[in-house]
Amino acid sequence: MAHHINQGALSAMFTGGGTPDAQPVVQCVQIKPLVGQQGTSERYRVVFSDIRNFCQSMLATQANHVVTDGKLKKGCFVRLKQFQANSYKGKRILIVLDLEVLEELGECEKIGEPKTLEISQDEDVKPNPTTISTGGFYGSKPEQKYQPQQQSLPSRTTAPASSSHGNIYPIEALSPYANKWTIKARCTNKSEIKTWHNKNGEGKLFSVNLLDESGEIKATGFNDQCDALYEVFQEGGVYYITSPCRVQLAKKQFTNLNNDYELSFERDTLVEKAEEQDGVPQVRFNFINIGDLQTVEKDSVIDTIGILKEVGETSQIVSKTTSKPYDKRELTLVDNTGYSVRLTIWGNSAASFDVVPESVIAFKGVKVSDFGGRSLSLLSSGSMSIDPDIDEAHKLKGWYDAQGRTDTFASHASMSAGIGAAGGRTDASKTIVQVKEENLGMSETTDYFTTKATIIYIKQDNVSYAACASPDCNKKVIEQEPGQWRCEKCDKTFPKPEYRYIMSLNVSDHTGQIWLSCFDDVGRMIMGMSADQLNELKDNDDKAAGEIFQEANCQTYIFKCRAKMDNFQDQQRVRYQVSGASPLNYSNESTKLANLIKLYHI
């Protein structure tokens, strides 16, 4: 098997020595997963051998599939197709961006006695790394980079169009181990300048999101760098950024990008506008459908796309921490899942928003909330694209023009009524018999679960109550005399109440039956109309109202519930309260069933 390996290839990558093959074949002698920050992709450290030497390597996340698919194993042979050769503190580290496992060669024990690849004293240790692409030659010498004249803020210097950037790093390969690098990236988002004042002083900063074919990364400029670079960066522009520039662990609470690291501009960081914009992608989206928001955890940051159905007026709120006013505007989006969602935009984006309703808008970097039902908020680091030229937008527009314009849309049931601060978590899925056998709700703490069940009966008595018409009150009102409904909490009188659902449902699955109680948002979805409309229908046409109840029966939903001990007429019982419900997503249900079948190894 030794004749398949390009002996000496690893040394040639770092020293610039020649090699007969631009895509060397080496042996994998070790694989080890690395623990990253919570919520980030797992990374893998791999040791490769060319018989003469072995070298520590790091797989870029885009290459993780060879491990997760079970192809890359200890003792197998691989062809390195794209990589970065780095030197850091006397160690050689290879960043592998693309590789091919030669499965036809099988696996075997380590061949030979390879030695550690080290840097000798007389070697040039400046680690000018080189991107090795399919048509590249990893033994070639890096081209001489443009050296700017020394100025007080070199990061403002713009290189001539003829400057050479022979050592372009992919963003995915950036890490604290890399230095002497240049990236070519598109600015997909630029924040406003933010200021701070505290006991340690005051300052200002701005940030940009940078994108290339391999990934995205956030970069921040503080104080002098903020002054120097803010006007240099423009959204949509492509730039060369050259070190020194600090690569540090990303502060996940301040970024929505999937990268373990972020950049911090330094005094000597060089930023140059790229004349050629080829090979650098536009904004990259990872869309979540509006109908699938119920399955997304609270406070997650996602991308979404929808048809702009309604545009609210601009309003102002005052920050509790800074006492500064902020503009806000609420938008309503719909898509072909049959759901709508409320999305809030802030600041200048809210004040200057002038998009025509029925346009397609793609949002990148929106935060999921369960306030008042599933809702979204555009982060300061997020962005929106109006009628983008992408397949998802064209399909959505075609659907809306063909049928969506006349469709009715459901809103996600409120999660705040039953879950509170703990809302949005992924609760265990239970059958009805499991809920009872596991004694959910019998302990001192509240138990949460989801269940897939079919409505078999709805109690028609006391299906709603007369509630206060004030926004966000919902307290029961008392009719003092005809046309006079009084709310004790608000100390107001209204000519008529706003009826709200308070329903009892008997639901069933293949294991048993259970009674659930639910409130207005879930009631609206189940009945297909508001409680006011249902009460009016009962007053005018009791038979038609009965048909509405009949139509609501035999419908299957995913119910999100909480179980808690309750006292009723001096007796303790478990009360199962619905905090959210959603129609079946047949794609998700099919996937769950397929996964269950796999467990049986059929």
Side-chain angles (χ1 to χ4, degrees):
M1 304 299 287
H3 67 279
H4 291 289
I5 296 178
N6 296 108
Q7 298 188 34
L10 294 175
S11 177
M13 294 177 192
F14 292 89
T15 62
T19 180
D21 197 331
Q23 297 182 2
V25 175
V26 295
Q27 185 184 23
C28 172
V29 296
Q30 188 182 74
I31 308 171
K32 182 179 180 182
L34 298 177
V35 179
Q37 287 187 296
Q38 187 175 4
T40 62
S41 300
E42 190 170 23
R43 304 296 294 267
Y44 295 94
R45 178 177 292 164
V46 184
V47 178
F48 290 119
S49 166
D50 66 3
I51 300 180
R52 297 180 189 175
N53 300 104
F54 65 83
C55 179
Q56 296 280 350
S57 306
M58 185 83 71
L59 289 189
T61 54
Q62 67 202 53
N64 280 354
H65 63 90
V66 296
V67 178
T68 56
D69 292 346
K71 294 181 179 179
L72 186 65
K73 303 176 182 178
K74 182 178 179 180
C76 73
F77 298 86
V78 302
R79 177 176 286 112
L80 302 180
K81 302 174 71 174
Q82 191 174 359
F83 49 84
Q84 291 279 341
N86 299 334
S87 300
Y88 180 72
K89 294 184 178 181
K91 296 182 179 180
R92 301 302 185 101
I93 297 176
L94 195 67
I95 307 295
V96 179
L97 304 170
D98 190 18
L99 73 164
E100 175 188 0
V101 178
L102 305 179
E103 297 180 88
E104 66 275 12
L105 299 182
E107 304 157 25
C108 69
E109 295 296 321
K110 181 178 65 176
I111 300 176
E113 294 296 332
K115 298 180 180 179
T116 304
L117 189 63
E118 296 178 346
I119 300 175
S120 60
Q121 294 297 323
D122 57 348
E123 242 177 76
D124 178 14
V125 296
K126 295 179 180 178
N128 285 317
T130 305
T131 301
I132 310 303
S133 59
T134 302
F137 185 76
Y138 64 78
S140 62
K141 293 284 187 180
E143 299 179 31
Q144 186 67 30
K145 288 199 286 185
Y146 168 76
Q147 297 294 332
Q149 295 179 355
Q150 293 295 321
Q151 297 185 4
S152 58
L153 283 170
S155 55
R156 301 183 68 178
T157 306
T158 302
S162 61
S163 74
S164 173
H165 296 276
N167 303 319
I168 302 300
Y169 245 71
I171 285 175
E172 177 66 50
L174 289 177
S175 74
Y177 300 106
N179 58 22
K180 302 288 186 182
W181 51 260
T182 297
I183 61 173
K184 182 181 180 182
R186 187 181 302 277
C187 174
T188 59
N189 179 260
K190 182 175 78 168
S191 73
E192 298 177 5
I193 293 178
K194 301 176 183 178
T195 60
W196 75 85
H197 305 270
N198 56 36
K199 62 181 180 180
N200 297 321
E202 58 184 38
K204 54 187 171 181
L205 63 87
F206 85 105
S207 63
V208 291
N209 291 348
L210 302 172
L211 167 73
D212 70 6
E213 287 184 327
S214 71
E216 296 178 90
I217 196 167
K218 177 184 176 182
T220 304
F222 295 89
N223 299 324
D224 289 344
Q225 281 64 49
C226 179
D227 292 333
L229 295 174
Y230 187 77
E231 296 300 331
V232 174
F233 282 103
Q234 300 298 326
E235 289 188 7
V238 177
Y239 301 87
Y240 292 106
I241 296 100
T242 303
S243 61
C245 184
R246 187 184 311 150
V247 183
Q248 58 194 20
L249 285 174
K251 298 179 178 65
K252 289 298 180 180
Q253 66 270 35
F254 300 123
T255 179
N256 60 295
L257 303 183
N258 183 25
N259 198 319
D260 289 345
Y261 301 107
E262 63 186 17
L263 303 178
S264 180
F265 296 125
E266 296 184 347
R267 174 184 173 84
D268 295 327
T269 302
L270 179 65
V271 178
E272 309 169 55
K273 182 71 179 289
E275 298 298 330
E276 300 160 352
Q277 302 197 7
D278 296 339
V280 182
Q282 301 289 335
V283 179
R284 177 176 295 159
F285 294 102
N286 185 20
F287 292 124
I288 299 293
N289 292 331
I290 295 175
D292 293 335
L293 290 177
Q294 195 70 58
T295 64
V296 179
E297 290 191 10
K298 177 179 177 288
D299 295 331
S300 297
V301 178
I302 64 164
D303 304 338
T304 194
I305 187 171
I307 299 287
L308 179 62
K309 192 70 172 176
E310 297 176 5
V311 181
E313 296 295 326
T314 305
S315 59
Q316 277 196 342
I317 64 169
V318 178
S319 170
K320 294 180 179 179
T321 55
T322 64
S323 298
K324 292 182 178 179
Y326 290 93
D327 290 322
K328 61 174 289 192
R329 187 191 295 264
E330 291 187 351
L331 313 177
T332 301
L333 302 178
V334 299
D335 69 5
N336 54 3
T337 63
Y339 275 85
S340 67
V341 68
R342 185 179 73 255
L343 188 149
T344 305
I345 57 177
W346 305 86
N348 290 336
S349 297
S352 60
F353 188 84
D354 61 352
V355 180
V356 179
E358 300 190 350
S359 299
V360 179
I361 310 183
F363 290 89
K364 184 173 183 63
V366 292
K367 188 174 183 179
V368 179
S369 169
D370 61 4
F371 179 74
R374 270 297 191 259
S375 59
L376 304 173
S377 178
L378 182 63
L379 299 175
S380 59
S381 58
S383 61
M384 55 182 167
S385 301
I386 314 302
D387 292 323
D389 187 15
I390 56 178
D391 289 344
E392 293 88 345
H394 299 317
K395 291 177 182 177
L396 206 54
K397 187 65 173 176
W399 158 80
Y400 189 77
D401 289 340
Q403 69 179 76
R405 185 174 282 108
T406 58
D407 282 356
T408 56
F409 299 91
S411 62
H412 286 284
S414 174
M415 303 295 293
S416 58
I419 294 182
R425 65 178 166 273
T426 303
D427 299 325
S429 180
K430 304 286 185 182
T431 62
I432 290 176
V433 72
Q434 286 176 323
V435 171
K436 295 179 178 179
E437 289 181 350
E438 295 176 15
N439 294 321
L440 297 186
M442 298 290 286
S443 62
E444 294 181 359
T445 59
T446 303
D447 292 316
Y448 297 92
F449 66 93
T450 62
T451 189
K452 179 174 67 174
T454 302
I455 299 173
I456 58 175
Y457 183 71
I458 302 173
K459 280 188 177 180
Q460 297 187 27
D461 297 332
N462 301 320
V463 74
S464 63
Y465 71 98
C468 176
S470 296
D472 303 321
C473 179
N474 303 336
K475 291 294 183 180
K476 187 176 181 178
V477 293
I478 301 171
E479 187 177 23
Q480 295 180 322
E481 55 184 82
Q484 297 290 321
W485 296 82
R486 179 169 177 77
C487 174
E488 296 295 337
K489 178 184 176 183
C490 297
D491 194 23
K492 292 181 180 178
T493 301
F494 302 92
K496 65 178 182 177
E498 177 184 343
Y499 285 93
R500 296 179 63 84
Y501 285 111
I502 178 168
M503 301 173 63
S504 292
L505 315 173
N506 189 236
V507 300
S508 173
D509 66 7
H510 63 287
T511 67
Q513 301 177 14
I514 199 172
W515 282 96
L516 304 177
S517 60
C518 60
F519 297 106
D520 195 60
D521 285 332
V522 177
R524 284 172 178 261
M525 183 181 65
I526 291 173
M527 303 304 295
M529 61 177 60
S530 68
D532 278 328
Q533 293 171 320
L534 182 62
N535 271 283
E536 184 177 353
L537 186 61
K538 290 177 70 175
D539 291 340
N540 298 324
D541 190 343
D542 194 58
K543 182 180 179 181
E547 291 175 354
I548 296 297
F549 280 98
Q550 193 62 35
E551 289 175 4
N553 280 328
C554 301
Q555 301 298 317
T556 303
Y557 297 90
I558 302 295
F559 293 99
K560 195 172 181 69
C561 308
R562 72 171 187 172
K564 187 176 182 180
M565 189 65 70
D566 190 19
N567 289 312
F568 180 72
Q569 295 181 349
D570 296 328
Q571 292 184 348
Q572 283 193 324
R573 64 176 185 177
V574 179
R575 185 182 185 193
Y576 304 103
Q577 182 176 311
V578 178
S579 54
S582 59
L584 290 186
N585 182 315
Y586 291 99
S587 175
N588 289 347
E589 291 302 311
S590 298
T591 301
K592 290 178 183 178
L593 292 173
N595 290 335
L596 283 173
I597 292 173
K598 289 180 181 178
L599 295 177
Y600 291 94
H601 304 289
I602 297 176

